[in-house]
């Protein structure tokens, strides 16, 4: 299966403003790219890229004063399979975890393990360890939070999502991640593309948040917001929580003027031509 993905974002800055953007597909999918991601800005400005501590591709710009647009587009090959389910996968004891997993057991900006630890153990402490307990935590987050775009708040933490019982995909992810870490199960935040392949079209196209859990000796995908296996995820960035993977990190004020995302199946269609202009 071929999936075309991309974005068209316009911000307005009152003055020249440095930006760091995490918008490229993750480097671990580089071998699946079939039409190289094109990145075009209007006006055209120099840019450079680097890889951060979590392996994410970060692109640097200095946006001029006024409107500044970033447009990206690419095509990737995907298996077309649903997220895998390994119901017999077992949790790994903390003493046996790879060292690089340990950071994903600890509290972070939006994931207050100290505030949710007792709640987690009260809810899930008597459950058998393994895939079933991870799924039960995702089920709980899915039912605890009522989804609504109008309820988005960039500062909402996992504990606040638990208390308020409202939010968007990042809040489902933060709550599930925190409860998992409280149970000594490594969990990390994922930002990326998730289209409506194989499901009814329910929401406007947007970047999505889900989680990866270290279980059975590998990182596995779970999605507390949608809570069913899906087709065609394209990872952009991974981190401890949303603070590590902002789409746009601006070092100065800016206003979002336009935001459009696309991701859809183009199997059997010609690959897109490189853009001539934005």
């Amino acid at each position: 299966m071929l999936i075309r993905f991309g974005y068209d974002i316009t911000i307005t800055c009152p003055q020249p403003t440095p930006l760091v953007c995490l918008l490229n597909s993750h480097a671990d999918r580089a071998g699946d790219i079939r039409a190289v991601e094109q990145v075009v800005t209007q006006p055209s400005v120099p840019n450079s890229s680097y890889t951060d501590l979590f392996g994410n591709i970060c692109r640097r710009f200095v946006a001029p004063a006024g409107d500044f647009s970033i447009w990206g587009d690419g095509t990737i090959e995907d298996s077309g399979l649903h997220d895998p389910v390994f119901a017999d996968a077992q949790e790994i004891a903390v003493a046996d975890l790879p060292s690089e997993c340990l950071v994903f057991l600890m509290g972070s900006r939006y994931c207050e393990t100290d505030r949710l630890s007792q709640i987690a153990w009260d809810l899930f402490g008597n459950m058998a360890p393994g895939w079933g307990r991870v799924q039960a935590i995702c089920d709980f987050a899915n039912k605890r939070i009522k989804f609504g775009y109008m309820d988005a708040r960039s500062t909402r933490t996992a504990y606040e999502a638990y208390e308020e019982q409202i939010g968007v995909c990042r809040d489902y992810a933060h709550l599930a991640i925190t409860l998992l870490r409280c149970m000594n199960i490594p969990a990390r935040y994922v930002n990326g593309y998730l289209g409506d392949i194989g499901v009814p079209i329910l929401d406007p196209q947007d970047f999505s948040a889900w989680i990866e859990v270290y279980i059975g000796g590998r990182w596995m995908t779970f999605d507390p917001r949608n809570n069913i296996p899906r087709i065609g995820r394209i990872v952009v960035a991974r981190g401890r929580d949303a603070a590590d993977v902002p789409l746009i990190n601006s070092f100065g004020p800016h206003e979002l003027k336009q935001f459009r995302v696309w991701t859809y199946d183009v199997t059997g269609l010609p690959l897109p031509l490189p853009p001539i202009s934005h």
Side-chain angles (χ1 to χ4, degrees):
M1 170 182 288
L2 295 178
I3 300 173
R4 186 171 181 176
F5 62 96
Y7 55 87
D8 187 359
I9 301 171
T10 300
I11 62 174
T12 303
C13 301
Q15 60 198 32
T17 304
L19 308 175
V20 174
C21 301
L22 280 73
L23 293 166
N24 287 74
S25 60
H26 199 275
D28 62 9
R29 294 297 299 273
D32 297 326
I33 296 295
R34 297 296 174 262
V36 176
E37 289 180 72
Q38 305 290 323
V39 178
V40 177
T41 65
Q42 181 62 40
S44 180
V45 298
N47 71 87
S48 61
S49 61
Y50 67 95
T51 302
D52 70 10
L53 296 174
F54 299 100
N56 305 313
I57 299 173
C58 306
R59 193 176 294 270
R60 300 179 64 179
F61 306 92
V62 175
D67 287 354
F68 179 66
S69 297
I70 312 171
W71 182 94
D73 185 77
T75 303
I76 197 167
E77 185 172 349
D78 189 81
S79 68
L81 302 176
H82 288 83
D83 302 324
V85 174
F86 294 100
D88 59 349
Q90 296 300 306
E91 297 173 24
I92 308 297
V94 173
D96 298 325
L97 285 169
S99 296
E100 58 269 22
C101 290
L102 297 181
V103 69
F104 299 107
L105 285 177
M106 301 174 187
S108 54
R109 166 67 178 86
Y110 293 107
C111 299
E112 318 102 308
T113 51
D114 55 338
R115 302 192 74 181
L116 282 166
S117 180
Q118 190 61 55
I119 293 168
W121 281 96
D122 289 345
L123 289 169
F124 308 107
N126 293 324
M127 294 190 65
W131 185 281
R133 180 155 69 169
V134 174
Q135 186 58 59
I137 289 172
C138 292
D139 293 344
F140 176 83
N142 177 266
K143 294 174 183 176
R144 182 74 181 182
I145 297 174
K146 180 180 179 181
F147 183 88
Y149 280 110
M150 298 304 294
D151 296 319
R153 188 173 78 240
S154 62
T155 59
R156 182 182 289 120
T157 67
Y159 182 78
E160 290 169 339
Y162 172 82
E163 288 286 297
E164 297 171 18
Q165 301 184 49
I166 56 174
V168 291
C169 56
R170 62 178 268 154
D171 301 304
Y172 290 82
H174 285 150
L175 179 56
I177 286 170
T178 308
L179 294 171
L180 286 160
R181 291 178 185 172
C182 290
M183 304 306 298
N184 297 324
I185 305 169
R188 63 190 184 188
Y189 185 95
V190 184
N191 184 50
Y193 295 91
L194 178 61
D196 296 305
I197 298 170
V199 298
I201 298 175
L202 300 175
D203 302 315
Q205 292 286 297
D206 197 356
F207 287 100
S208 297
W210 60 90
I211 70 174
E212 291 177 346
V213 180
Y214 195 81
I215 186 169
R218 69 180 84 176
W219 288 103
M220 301 296 299
T221 296
F222 289 83
D223 187 343
R225 161 32 180 149
N226 295 291
N227 212 31
I228 57 172
R230 295 283 293 269
I231 298 170
R233 296 183 195 273
I234 304 172
V235 172
V236 170
R238 300 180 175 97
R240 292 166 297 181
D241 59 32
D244 289 331
V245 295
L247 297 173
I248 298 178
N249 196 351
S250 68
F251 298 87
H254 77 270
E255 179 182 347
L256 181 64
K257 187 173 183 179
Q258 175 178 290
F259 183 86
R260 187 168 64 95
V261 176
W262 55 89
T263 173
Y264 54 93
D265 182 8
V266 292
T267 305
L269 300 177
L271 293 178
L273 296 173
I276 297 174
S277 61
H278 177 70

